[in-house]
Amino acid sequence: MTFVTRFAPSPTGHLHLGHAFSALTAFDAAQAAGGRFLLRIEDIDQDRSRPAFEAAILEDLAWLGITWETPVRRQSQHMAEYEGALQSLMERQLIYRCFRTRKEVAEAIASAPHGATDEAFRGEALPPGEEAEKLAAGEAFAWRLSLKKARAALGPAYFALVFEDETGLVRAEPERHGDVVLARKDFCASYHLASVCDDALQGVTHVVRGEDLREAAHLHVLLQRLLNLPQPTYRHHRLILGADGKRLAKRDQAATLKALRESGKTAADVRAMIGLS
Ligand code: GLU
């Protein structure tokens, strides 16, 4: 099986050293395995995505010595595919419309027993009459995955869900996420839905990404099972921290690859700075 991995940045800011580490780790892994490296632009959030950032991403990656296959996949051009996946979940009643506002969701979590975590909202579809009223009134809603229904649909297989990462075989615990939002009213897919669809559509065998996304794997393997998609192997890598010991964010201008390049640093300097040979 050919090793296929990808780097999937969102064009909502300039890439920084953390992105360089992620992209180079994935690229090096593909090279070492004689495999393929793909680039995917995760521009589903059209309010925050900018063509100028996408152009800058391509420039930064090329400067790092990274090459990728073309055409580059842009999520904004594939909404129909995510909609199809959502439709299939909807037909099996695995998702439901949630009309609660953010504040109402937070309140529901706070009043839930057992000290649920931030994400662990659980809900259910409204009675048909009530839902029809809200739809007629044009109220906003989100499509949430029903963990209860997913568990019922999979039966014992739900509890046998596992994934492989650099630590070995991990038992998936999708309940850590609660009933996660998979799309908004206008079918705008969430990161989770688009990401699992794309990894499958692009034939990704190895998802190489930061350990900040380790939790996401617990949900992604459930979505893969529900959508009948192949499950990739995961490799989570360490995060690059700033001088303050916190992980780098897009607002840390000094660490952007653009700033480093303009200050005369080379790709080899960047590799050295993040501990890659
Ligand atoms: N677009 C995501 C990010 O920039 C990538 C997540 C992933 O690799 O799955 O964090």
Side-chain angles (χ1 to χ4, degrees), residues 5 7 47 51 55 62 67 69-70 81 120 131 259 276:
T5 193
F7 176 57
D47 288 342
T67 52
E69 294 181 11
T70 52
E81 284 148 57
E131 182 174 284
L276 290 174

Side-chain angles (χ1 to χ4, degrees), residues 6 8-10 42 191 195 209 213:
R6 76 332 186 250
S10 306
E42 300 211 323
Y191 154 68
S195 175
R209 62 188 177 199
L213 287 165

